Amino acid sequence: MISQANAINLRIQIGNANAMLANARAFVVEDAATGAAFGQAMQRIEALLDARSLDEERRSALQAIDSLENGLALARPNAHAKALGLDWF
């Protein structure tokens, strides 16, 4: 969504991306590193709203999302995920 965001759909794409991050966050055991990675990704995504150069801020947001993805590879499912049977990830 962030890679396809433009001046016309930016707010919608940011909202969608934040919703996806919130959903992902709801299913993992959050430690300091994971919390920081989620926070950084959300901050970089929100920065798109005030960007002078959408391309530069987009790259920064995508890098933060990539870092979060790498961090989530080691994350464990929380009790909520287990109760829903989503502990296979």
Side-chain angles (χ1 to χ4, degrees), residues 35-50:
F38 271 112
Q40 182 68 15
M42 293 175 99
Q43 181 182 16
R44 297 301 346 143
I45 289 168
E46 288 295 324
L48 288 166
L49 289 172
D50 298 323

Side-chain angles (χ1 to χ4, degrees), residues 15 17 24 27 33 49 74-75 82 89:
F27 295 108
L49 289 172
L74 303 174
K82 290 177 184 177
F89 66 89

Side-chain angles (χ1 to χ4, degrees), residues 4-86:
Q4 298 173 358
N6 58 51
I8 295 170
N9 67 10
L10 184 60
R11 288 191 182 278
I12 292 169
Q13 297 293 40
I14 287 172
N16 290 338
N18 282 333
M20 292 176 79
L21 288 175
N23 286 333
R25 197 174 208 167
F27 295 108
V28 298
V29 173
E30 194 169 318
D31 57 16
T34 305
F38 271 112
Q40 182 68 15
M42 293 175 99
Q43 181 182 16
R44 297 301 346 143
I45 289 168
E46 288 295 324
L48 288 166
L49 289 172
D50 298 323
R52 286 193 171 151
S53 169
L54 188 57
D55 289 335
E56 278 185 43
E57 287 297 333
R58 179 185 295 121
R59 276 191 293 278
S60 178
L62 291 172
Q63 288 172 344
I65 292 167
D66 286 344
S67 293
L68 173 61
E69 184 178 3
N70 291 335
L72 288 177
L74 303 174
R76 296 169 305 161
N78 62 16
H80 180 67
K82 290 177 184 177
L84 294 173
L86 300 174

